[in-house]
Amino acid sequence: MQENINIEELEKSLLNIKNLTERMSKNLLNTNQLIRDSINNGSGVWDGEAAGLYRSRWESIMSDFPDVIQTFQKQEANLETFIENMKKVEE
């Protein structure tokens, strides 16, 4: 049984990936700003040793996220190239 590639479905998936990547990036930037503005910065929202530990762990975790977002963007480009190549083949 031969399976066909559905270009329209791939394009929908690509659009979803792009939207999710953009939303994830914006949400992470907003969360980072909220943490910088509120946690262990002397603002009185949450300061002290526990706040410092939380912020330190958060920043450690967040240091990996630019690479995660870059990976998603690279895969978007790969899928986009694949779709373009498949369209050329079908012509």
Side-chain angles (χ1 to χ4, degrees):
M1 172 188 216
Q2 182 180 359
E3 292 189 33
N4 295 324
I5 296 173
N6 186 327
I7 299 296
E8 288 179 17
E9 288 299 318
L10 284 176
E11 289 175 326
K12 287 179 188 177
S13 295
L14 176 60
L15 184 60
N16 285 336
I17 292 169
K18 286 183 176 186
N19 288 335
L20 290 170
T21 302
E22 183 179 334
R23 286 176 40 204
M24 179 176 59
S25 181
K26 285 180 182 179
N27 286 331
L28 290 172
L29 287 173
N30 290 338
T31 302
N32 278 333
Q33 193 60 50
L34 180 64
I35 287 173
R36 286 187 200 112
D37 292 347
S38 305
I39 298 176
N40 206 40
N41 68 351
S43 67
V45 174
W46 186 24
D47 294 309
E49 188 176 337
L53 289 171
Y54 178 87
R55 184 168 172 168
S56 177
R57 282 184 293 193
W58 174 262
E59 289 174 357
S60 176
I61 291 168
M62 287 309 302
S63 68
D64 292 335
F65 273 94
D67 293 337
V68 171
I69 291 170
Q70 185 178 16
T71 299
F72 275 88
Q73 291 168 335
K74 183 177 179 181
Q75 294 311 313
E76 288 171 16
N78 289 341
L79 184 54
E80 201 163 33
T81 300
F82 176 78
I83 291 168
E84 288 170 9
N85 290 339
M86 290 306 298
K87 284 181 176 180
K88 288 177 186 176
V89 167
E90 288 182 351
E91 290 177 354

